[in-house]
Structures are given as structure tokens and as C-alpha cells.
Amino acid sequence: MGTGGHFAGLGWMEAERRRSRWRWRAYRVFSVQQPLPELAAALDAFDPGILTGYPSALELLADEQAAGRLHLRPVIVELGGESMAPEARARVAAALGGALHDTYGASEFNPLAFDCDHGWLHVNSDWAILEPVDADFRPTPAGRPSHTVLLTNLANRVQPIIRYDLGDSVLAKPDPCPCSSPLPAIRVTGRRDDVLRLVAADGNTVSVLPLAIGSVVDETPGVHRSQLIQTGPASIRLRLELRAGEY
Ligand SMILES: [Zn+2]
């Protein structure tokens, strides 16, 4: 194992890292926008002890590792930001090794919940309030998937975040968790990104993360919303709706 560190596409982590010299060496943030061979080489050189990332990104790395083009030895692999199908989870666990953990967080409060051995996410409810609600923002009963979830950040005294609509569907566990944690247990049933697989000119398959395109769109001024559609083996269509008055 190397000096330890993280892999993630999360902006807050990059900001955290720049706050101290120690973090600068211990953490590294790798962009999913760089070509896969370059990303693999950079990750191999860093040799992280803790690997954190979007499941779709980690799936891609698991494929690289299984194909012998990546050689990571993480002690802990943390999944966050999207849900993951059980088959994909098993593939990531087999290829990357290390203890696989689910986390749930948002830019507005990152360490929202961490998993237990019984497969539930326990909310850090001493620092944040999560309220599963229906489309009219009324409470969703435990045991049912919510329409969305509202976040109140109790730790951030600089920027109040009160009942912020995260847009995720969450199911609260109706009975106590067998792990005996007193913290509320949830499952996130929404938010999942699929990896685009496109055929290159040489006939090989190129994997593209929707996040890689989505983050460029997000950073483009004047874009109100976007839709990415795979129209064929080697073609995608990106539809952009601009804000009124912007071209
Ligand atoms: Zn539990």
C-alpha cells in the first residue's frame, strides 16, 4: 500500500486538500474527464490505501484492474454519490479487493451516512437531518421509497442549509437495525448513472462516464438543463436547453 489517499470527483474534497500541506500529500483527486489509460497510470503511481468514488467510476476501474491495466491495492473502497446494482458491486469487490463500504453524501453535507454490516446506511443525525418526503413535501412513512429527501445541515453555521431538496429517493428502515446502531437507517433507492459504451474507430470499446460530460455541461454558462442520449454504437446526442436570453 502507498501513502494512502482518495479518488473522487468531488469538488469539496479538492478544496479540503488545498487547506493543508498534509492533506496535499495524503489526498489526491483524479478527474474522470481524463482518458482512461492516463487515469489508470496516475492512480497506479499514487497507489491509494482508501479509494473513494462514484460507483460508475469504480466500475470502470474494476474493469481496468480485471484486464490487468490497473494494479491497485486499496484497504477500503468507498462508494458514494449513486446507487449500485448488486452484480456491479460484486464485480468491483472482486476486482479491486479491500473492504467495500457504501457512503451517502452530498455537496451540501458530505458525510451524511455510512453503511453497517447489515447493508443499511446510518445517518449522522447528530449533524444533519434527513427527511424523506412525497412530491408535496409531506413526510413519507418509513418502509416506503420517498419522492425526494430534504437535508438540514446542523454543522454549517456559515451557510444555512435548511430543508434543502436533494432529489434522491430514500427509504427509511421502519424497525431498529440488527447492528444496534441508534442512528436512523436508510437505503437510497434513486440516483444511478450508467456508463456509456461507445465503439471507437479502431473497433475497440471506449467507456465514457456520464459524469465526465455532465460536469462540462454544468460548468458551461447559460445552460438551463441537458439530456444525453446514446443514439447508436458510436454516436451520442447532447440536447441543451439554454436559459432565456442566452445563446
Ligand atoms: Zn445497521
Side-chain angles (χ1 to χ4, degrees):
M1 194 183 84
T3 49
H6 283 69
F7 163 85
L10 304 173
W12 73 270
M13 213 175 252
E14 179 65 15
E16 270 295 299
R17 190 171 77 92
R18 288 175 188 220
R19 279 168 55 177
S20 82
R21 270 174 175 273
W22 178 82
R23 287 191 175 115
W24 183 262
R25 284 196 305 271
Y27 279 60
R28 276 205 58 191
V29 178
F30 297 87
S31 170
V32 293
Q33 290 171 356
Q34 62 185 314
L36 204 48
E38 281 175 29
L39 176 61
L43 278 167
D44 266 346
F46 188 56
D47 193 15
I50 303 172
L51 192 64
T52 304
Y54 287 93
S56 50
L58 292 173
E59 249 187 278
L60 210 57
L61 296 184
D63 290 346
E64 291 301 288
Q65 180 107 340
R69 292 186 292 265
L70 186 66
H71 314 89
L72 300 179
R73 299 165 296 163
V75 178
I76 295 172
V77 176
E78 280 184 355
L79 311 164
E82 303 157 357
S83 13
M84 188 175 216
E87 318 82 66
R89 192 187 163 88
R91 224 173 59 236
V92 167
L96 294 177
L100 203 61
H101 282 287
D102 281 322
T103 62
Y104 177 50
S107 305
E108 293 76 18
F109 190 92
N110 198 52
L112 258 177
F114 199 77
D115 65 353
C116 70
D117 289 344
H118 295 267
W120 289 88
L121 290 160
H122 287 279
V123 180
N124 290 321
S125 58
D126 42 353
W127 289 110
I129 301 169
L130 264 188
E131 298 172 76
V133 291
D134 65 17
D136 296 319
F137 303 111
R138 288 178 306 216
T140 301
R144 279 198 229 153
S146 69
H147 176 75
T148 185
V149 67
L150 305 178
L151 164 71
T152 298
N153 182 336
L154 303 175
N156 187 343
R157 297 179 182 203
V158 177
Q159 182 187 18
I161 294 172
I162 300 166
R163 307 195 84 212
Y164 179 82
D165 185 351
L166 285 180
D168 293 333
S169 175
V170 161
L171 181 147
K173 187 167 172 32
D175 47 347
C177 190
C179 77
S180 76
S181 167
L183 299 174
I186 58 162
R187 273 196 184 128
V188 182
T189 53
R191 242 196 325 185
R192 177 182 294 172
D193 268 354
D194 292 320
V195 176
L196 291 168
R197 302 201 190 273
L198 299 163
V199 178
D202 60 7
N204 287 326
T205 302
V206 181
S207 301
V208 180
L209 291 171
L211 187 71
I213 299 170
S215 51
V216 173
V217 172
D218 283 348
E219 288 161 15
T220 306
V223 176
H224 173 52
R225 56 182 181 168
S226 64
Q227 185 180 44
L228 186 64
I229 307 159
Q230 181 157 13
T231 51
S235 58
I236 52 173
R237 189 202 300 163
L238 178 61
R239 301 172 69 212
L240 300 175
E241 185 181 300
L242 302 180
R243 283 197 192 92
E246 300 208 34
Y247 300 97

